[in-house]
Amino acid sequence: MTKDQRPFQWEEGEFTVTRTTRWSGPGCHDGCGVLYYTKGNKLVKVEGDKESPFYNGRLCPRCLNLPEAVHHRDRLLYPLKRIGKRGENRWERISWDDAYDLIETKVREAQKDYGPESIVCMVGTGRNVWGIVPKLTYSAFESPNFATGFLSGDACYLPRAALMGTMTGDFQIIDAGQVYEEGIDSPRYQIPKCIMIWGNNPIVSNPDGFMGHWIVDLMKRGTKLIVVDPRVTWLASRADYHLPLRPGTDSALALGMMNVIINEGLCDAEFIDKWTYGFSQLKERVQQFPPERVAEITWVPKDKIIQAARFYALSKPASIQWGLAIDMAPDGVTAAHAIASLWTITGNVDNPGGNIIVRGAYNAPIASAASGWGWDELPEDVRAKRIGYKEYPLYKMGFCATSHADTVLKACESGKPYPVRILWLQSTNPIANMASEAKRVHDAMLKVPFNVVVDLFMTPTAVAAADLVLPVASSPERDSLRAWWTPLRSISKVISMGEVKTDEEIVFDIGKRLNPKQFPWEDVKDMLTWCIRESGLTFGELEKRIYIYPEFQYEKYAKGLLRPDGKPGFNTPTGRIELYLTNFDNWNVGLDPLPYYKEPIESPVSTPELYKEYPLVLTTGARSWVYFHSENRQQPSAREFHPYPVVQINPETADRYGIQNGDWIWIENRHGKCRQKAEVTPIIPSKIVHGEHGWWYPEKKAEEPSLYGVWESNINLLTTQCDNGPSGYGGPYKTQLCKIYKAEEGGV
Ligand SMILES: Nc1nc2c(c(=O)[nH]1)N[C@H]1C(S)=C(S)[C@@H](COP(=O)(O)OP(=O)(O)OC[C@H]3O[C@@H](n4cnc5c(=O)[nH]c(N)nc54)[C@H](O)[C@@H]3O)O[C@H]1N2
Ligand SMILES: Nc1nc2c(c(=O)[nH]1)N[C@H]1C(S)=C(S)[C@@H](COP(=O)(O)OP(=O)(O)OC[C@H]3O[C@@H](n4cnc5c(=O)[nH]c(N)nc54)[C@H](O)[C@@H]3O)O[C@H]1N2
Ligand code: SF4
Ligand SMILES: [Mo]
């Protein structure tokens, strides 16, 4: 059968089978091709779509277990209004009309008495809310404040995105052939000789529209790996070079590798000369980072640094697949700058098998990772009120610009620069997961007069702080789109539960009520068709085709395809990739235009006294197979697979503290403590421990002070808010100190 003849839907025995895309909820960063097997209104099983390019039928346990999530008895099915006090978990079922009436009243009050900027909308990570919630914020509420759910320093992808926005003027990702329907078999593609995987564990996390199994496919064709990770991950165990660095020292390592590459003349001189700005200043800066010094800082042996640097530079094409660990240190932006400089000075820019420049497929605003939909409608004086906009000019850059989360927190606490009157949380669970310093965030939310949570399940955050809870549809209950990055994909609704609405429907309904001029569409499908108008298809047509690939071109900078004026070059002030960031000078707020290294706030070097008391370096939150952050803890199969929070400790360290595999232990530092279960394993070095994030216990008591046991194993009792880098981005989620000791019997 040719691809055009493939059916979108068919009957198979007692099932209707639908071929479509799965995204959120429950949360995921990807949109893999799935086959939904439904019987009436029931999702019975999910299989991978073998004919879906680049997913080829490969599914994670989280997709295979979707029926358990979707039909779970704890799903929220009706709008709920709080009765009694916050934290009592007492709710009254109300109609959607009553919910919308209440929202309209509260929004109009806030707009009139405090200005629209007193309404702050918050989202969690990369789901199909990043297009639609900005539209709600800017067009319906007319507020400039779209934010993450108190994610300190917005330390997830946004630091890297903003850095690329100012350094390159565009967005770069690794080329794993995903821009072609034929994938790595495309004649235009080249297999990278080397992939450097930096602070990322994509086999488990499949982050940001990237699939870990793409790397495995490339390894089968000969690609060699360098892995920069303190732990021996699956990929590290198969790498030619594994650099197990001390958490938070990434920029020193990248600067040290550049020292080797530049001083040994291994750069791409022609590319540097023609397309980059500031090489001579960078060359001077890297002289401060000879491999001996870098080995001391990073705990990676000097020879390994030299050999890995040579191997990366001498492999062409080569690419870098980077991850979250870069953002999760206060100076994450400079680490990103140093790493992006590595691919720039070796000329691996927008080349086959290198780090290519991408934009969301067909610029579809609703479906991509970008968050600007509706921003242009706001007058300049309203935009200027965005929290953090003035203090942190880097927050204007990038494709996912948000309000500064830590300053939003301070505004909730202090009413400055102005009061926050409404928090609208659509797809985030800050106190269990997204925010650091969880108790502080809990208390701050209670100061806000009206909070709305839009979610699939009741969460610790909702019980603690919400006044209204709206039930939202899961992915198989949702008509939606995906354009992060390519191809453009349709998401089809195959079942419906209770009175749930989709994120798009909720925003659309509220927009129609509050500001109909900016929501001119007849219904959500009409709006979806408008969003993909550049593809020339209606939503219904796309749904039958499932996906469509826009044309992709390499070396767009040479062809005049990047700048608004159509000239060759990059969309930056100098028209070149800026190794020296001229914007940092222009803004005049004290940002270093060159990459630098700064010690973590608490570390063996910066706080030696503290290190005596807390003699282990703590990194947190490396992804696990069946959980997506704080989600899925309700699913019996997921809990069977991964019943407890796990803290990884090296056998030598465990011995030193009398800890056995499987013991409940306390992880503690001067900010707080929590309990997790020890996994004694050689994959982690002896001076480092790793604690899991996102843990709460849906089976435990909901009401305060328990909040489903959210304070028992929560690693974000040990992390801090408002310790950001100078750009405002970055927070110390993965760079703390701690001590560990055996907990009393019983566990949690
Ligand atoms: N210590 C530590 N903390 C961390 C991290 C770490 O590495 N270490 N990682 C951080 C990172 S990178 C991130 S991005 C944050 C993530 O933080 P969040 O995105 O807030 O995490 P989730 O637990 O997935 O919470 C999302 C909520 O949204 C709901 N939901 C899921 N899908 C949908 C949907 O489609 N629509 C709606 N309306 N709701 C939905 C879920 O049921 C859940 O209650 O956590 C951060 N927290
Ligand atoms: N199953 C599942 N998938 C997910 C998620 C989930 O919760 N569950 N969350 C999604 C989200 S929001 C994100 S942001 C992505 C994140 O996905 P990734 O980018 O893969 O991030 P992590 O798994 O947090 O960490 C990756 C690796 O960094 C290492 N590491 C820790 N500290 C450091 C350090 O200081 N430097 C370096 N170089 N490495 C360090 C860890 O050992 C770990 O192996 O995953 C997404 N995908
Ligand atoms: S990455 Fe995994 S959970 Fe997410 S859509 Fe793909 S198969 Fe499903
Ligand atoms: Mo994230």
Side-chain angles (χ1 to χ4, degrees):
M1 214 178 337
T2 70
K3 284 186 185 140
D4 291 342
Q5 291 170 305
R6 279 183 202 158
F8 153 65
Q9 235 166 19
W10 66 91
E11 302 299 317
E12 198 175 301
E14 52 188 344
F15 300 114
T16 304
V17 186
T18 309
R19 167 171 279 144
T20 185
T21 310
R22 187 262 158 148
W23 193 358
S24 291
C28 185
H29 275 189
D30 265 285
C32 298
V34 288
L35 302 178
Y36 285 142
Y37 285 73
T38 51
K39 211 158 108 183
N41 198 29
K42 196 161 170 63
L43 178 70
V44 179
K45 68 170 173 172
V46 180
E47 288 198 355
D49 179 4
K50 290 201 180 70
E51 289 168 26
S52 170
F54 253 95
Y55 301 105
N56 311 106
R58 295 175 281 196
L59 289 190
C60 307
R62 288 174 293 126
C63 253
L64 294 170
N65 207 35
L66 211 47
E68 229 178 79
V70 169
H71 295 292
H72 198 282
R73 64 184 147 81
D74 294 348
R75 275 289 300 280
L76 293 167
L77 298 176
Y78 318 100
L80 295 174
K81 189 179 150 192
R82 178 173 60 80
I83 47 177
K85 292 198 199 107
R86 280 180 176 168
E88 285 183 355
N89 195 36
R90 291 174 52 223
W91 308 91
E92 165 189 37
R93 176 177 167 181
I94 59 170
S95 69
W96 277 100
D97 269 344
D98 287 348
Y100 288 153
D101 282 346
L102 179 62
I103 291 162
E104 184 166 357
T105 307
K106 294 287 181 188
V107 168
R108 299 250 188 256
E109 259 172 36
Q111 285 173 330
K112 186 163 125 310
D113 299 339
Y114 294 88
E117 64 277 11
S118 67
I119 306 166
V120 180
C121 293
M122 298 188 140
V123 295
T125 188
R127 307 185 181 83
N128 26 347
V129 295
W130 272 82
I132 196 75
V133 177
K135 182 73 181 157
L136 175 79
T137 318
Y138 308 139
S139 302
F141 297 157
E142 299 177 77
S143 164
N145 286 316
F146 167 74
T148 60
F150 297 108
L151 179 69
S152 182
D154 299 289
C156 170
Y157 215 20
L158 305 196
R160 282 174 285 154
L163 175 275
M164 288 187 283
T166 192
M167 177 176 179
T168 309
D170 255 292
F171 215 100
Q172 281 181 271
I173 58 169
I174 166 176
D175 181 11
Q178 70 274 42
V179 293
Y180 305 112
E181 190 161 359
E182 320 88 294
I184 55 178
D185 293 324
S186 164
R188 297 175 58 205
Y189 185 65
Q190 272 188 51
I191 307 286
K193 293 208 173 74
C194 161
I195 297 179
M196 180 140 68
I197 297 162
W198 199 307
N200 181 234
N201 190 13
I203 299 290
V204 179
S205 61
N206 297 319
D208 313 308
F210 180 87
M211 299 301 299
H213 54 62
W214 295 346
I215 293 196
V216 182
D217 293 345
L218 290 169
M219 287 161 72
K220 289 180 187 161
R221 302 264 179 115
T223 300
K224 306 268 190 236
L225 304 182
I226 302 171
V227 172
V228 181
D229 194 308
R231 301 182 311 147
V232 187
T233 59
W234 189 90
L235 287 171
S237 74
R238 285 150 180 87
D240 278 34
Y241 300 93
H242 173 214
L243 311 182
L245 82 176
R246 169 164 68 99
T249 61
D250 298 83
S251 69
L253 183 61
L255 282 156
M257 291 176 90
M258 283 197 282
N259 175 293
V260 176
I261 293 170
I262 293 173
N263 290 344
E264 294 189 7
L266 307 178
C267 303
D268 183 333
E270 197 185 322
F271 184 84
I272 291 171
D273 186 44
K274 216 163 160 192
W275 301 110
T276 70
Y277 177 83
F279 179 69
S280 55
Q281 291 99 317
L282 177 69
K283 184 174 178 181
E284 206 180 306
R285 174 62 58 91
V286 303
Q287 301 316 317
Q288 296 171 22
F289 294 89
E292 303 71 33
R293 178 174 172 226
V294 172
E296 224 169 84
I297 296 173
T298 59
W299 298 349
V300 180
K302 176 183 135 194
D303 288 347
K304 264 197 173 178
I305 299 171
I306 297 172
Q307 284 162 14
R310 286 180 188 151
F311 182 67
Y312 170 71
L314 291 170
S315 306
K316 195 91 181 253
S319 43
I320 302 181
Q321 164 58 23
W322 57 2
L324 175 64
I326 294 155
D327 309 311
M328 289 217 144
D331 293 84
V333 165
T334 206
H337 186 189
I339 296 165
S341 300
L342 272 166
W343 72 55
T344 305
I345 62 169
T346 54
N348 283 298
V349 175
D350 218 15
N351 56 328
N355 283 85
I356 50 174
I357 292 177
V358 286
R359 293 175 182 170
Y362 300 102
N363 299 309
I366 199 170
S368 72
S371 64
W373 195 18
W375 178 249
D376 292 346
E377 292 155 19
L378 289 178
E380 187 46 50
D381 60 322
V382 176
R383 290 193 216 174
K385 289 185 191 158
R386 170 183 263 176
I387 293 174
Y389 199 64
K390 272 193 233 98
E391 305 89 301
Y392 302 119
L394 193 60
Y395 267 68
K396 292 179 190 165
M397 305 303 293
F399 310 90
C400 320
T402 56
S403 307
H404 183 243
D406 304 80
T407 312
V408 173
L409 174 65
K410 288 187 196 157
C412 295
E413 289 172 337
S414 69
K416 289 184 185 122
Y418 45 76
V420 176
R421 302 293 297 177
I422 299 181
L423 279 178
W424 180 279
L425 286 85
Q426 190 156 353
S427 86
T428 180
N429 187 4
I431 68 168
N433 180 67
M434 196 173 213
S436 40
E437 215 168 325
K439 279 218 164 112
R440 176 174 174 187
V441 169
H442 166 272
D443 296 350
M445 289 183 71
L446 295 183
K447 293 197 165 172
V448 179
F450 187 63
N451 296 323
V452 182
V453 166
V454 186
D455 207 299
L456 293 98
F457 291 95
M458 196 56 89
T459 62
T461 304
V463 171
D467 303 293
L468 180 66
V469 178
L470 302 178
V472 82
S474 70
S475 193
E477 298 160 75
R478 183 171 191 179
D479 285 321
S480 188
L481 292 166
R482 163 110 188 172
W484 179 25
W485 299 94
T486 202
L488 176 64
R489 282 153 273 181
S490 57
I491 294 168
S492 292
K493 171 176 174 153
V494 293
I495 53 164
S496 57
M497 299 280 292
E499 289 180 9
V500 302
K501 287 180 186 278
T502 67
D503 288 297
E504 291 82 2
E505 283 168 336
I506 294 169
V507 170
F508 181 82
D509 290 349
I510 296 172
K512 275 278 184 204
R513 270 184 173 237
L514 293 177
N515 198 5
K517 169 169 118 271
Q518 302 296 2
F519 292 82
W521 308 282
E522 268 172 28
D523 52 27
V524 167
K525 281 198 181 170
D526 188 29
M527 179 173 78
L528 298 178
T529 292
W530 180 86
C531 287
I532 58 169
R533 62 200 179 286
E534 284 188 23
S535 73
L537 298 175
T538 64
F539 177 72
E541 287 164 346
L542 179 67
E543 200 173 26
K544 304 256 157 19
R545 290 176 63 157
I546 304 156
Y547 58 82
I548 154 173
Y549 280 81
E551 205 205 300
F552 181 80
Q553 300 219 36
Y554 290 114
E555 296 182 8
K556 294 181 274 297
Y557 56 88
K559 299 171 185 163
L561 296 174
L562 297 177
R563 295 172 55 84
D565 61 14
K567 292 199 180 128
F570 294 86
N571 195 15
T572 60
T574 56
R576 291 161 170 256
I577 297 192
E578 298 194 347
L579 296 164
Y580 181 102
L581 302 168
T582 57
N583 272 331
F584 278 23
D585 272 349
N586 299 339
W587 294 331
N588 205 16
V589 287
L591 298 174
D592 191 336
L594 290 168
Y596 60 88
Y597 173 67
K598 188 159 179 253
E599 269 295 313
I601 297 171
E602 293 178 13
S603 87
V605 181
S606 58
T607 53
E609 285 306 311
L610 212 56
Y611 187 53
K612 278 188 204 143
E613 197 179 343
Y614 302 106
L616 294 163
V617 176
L618 172 68
T619 176
T620 70
R623 279 32 180 167
S624 59
W625 296 103
V626 291
Y627 296 122
F628 197 81
H629 300 290
S630 73
E631 293 179 62
N632 305 356
R633 302 294 186 299
Q634 302 90 350
Q635 297 167 23
S637 306
R639 284 298 278 283
E640 196 181 332
F641 187 85
H642 189 153
Y644 306 107
V646 168
V647 48
Q648 293 178 320
I649 309 167
N650 184 277
E652 203 185 298
T653 317
D655 258 7
R656 197 176 334 134
Y657 296 105
I659 291 167
Q660 311 269 324
N661 197 38
D663 283 348
W664 281 97
I665 66 163
W666 287 106
I667 317 167
E668 180 175 335
N669 65 15
R670 63 172 170 154
H671 311 295
K673 62 177 188 172
C674 75
R675 276 202 290 193
Q676 303 200 354
K677 226 172 177 199
E679 181 193 359
V680 177
T681 166
I683 77 155
I684 188 133
S686 60
K687 292 192 243 176
I688 303 172
V689 298
H690 166 255
E692 283 185 348
H693 77 304
W695 275 91
W696 59 295
Y697 301 91
E699 66 276 16
K700 294 204 171 190
K701 250 182 151 170
E703 57 271 27
E704 292 267 17
S706 160
L707 297 176
Y708 302 107
V710 76
W711 309 121
E712 294 176 20
S713 301
N714 189 339
I715 202 76
N716 284 333
L717 295 169
L718 287 83
T719 53
T720 56
Q721 290 273 161
C722 304
D723 281 333
N724 314 122
S727 67
Y729 281 113
Y733 282 87
K734 294 196 197 282
T735 58
Q736 295 288 343
L737 294 176
C738 74
K739 65 179 178 188
I740 54 174
Y741 51 97
K742 221 171 136 161
E744 54 278 22
E745 286 300 303
V748 291

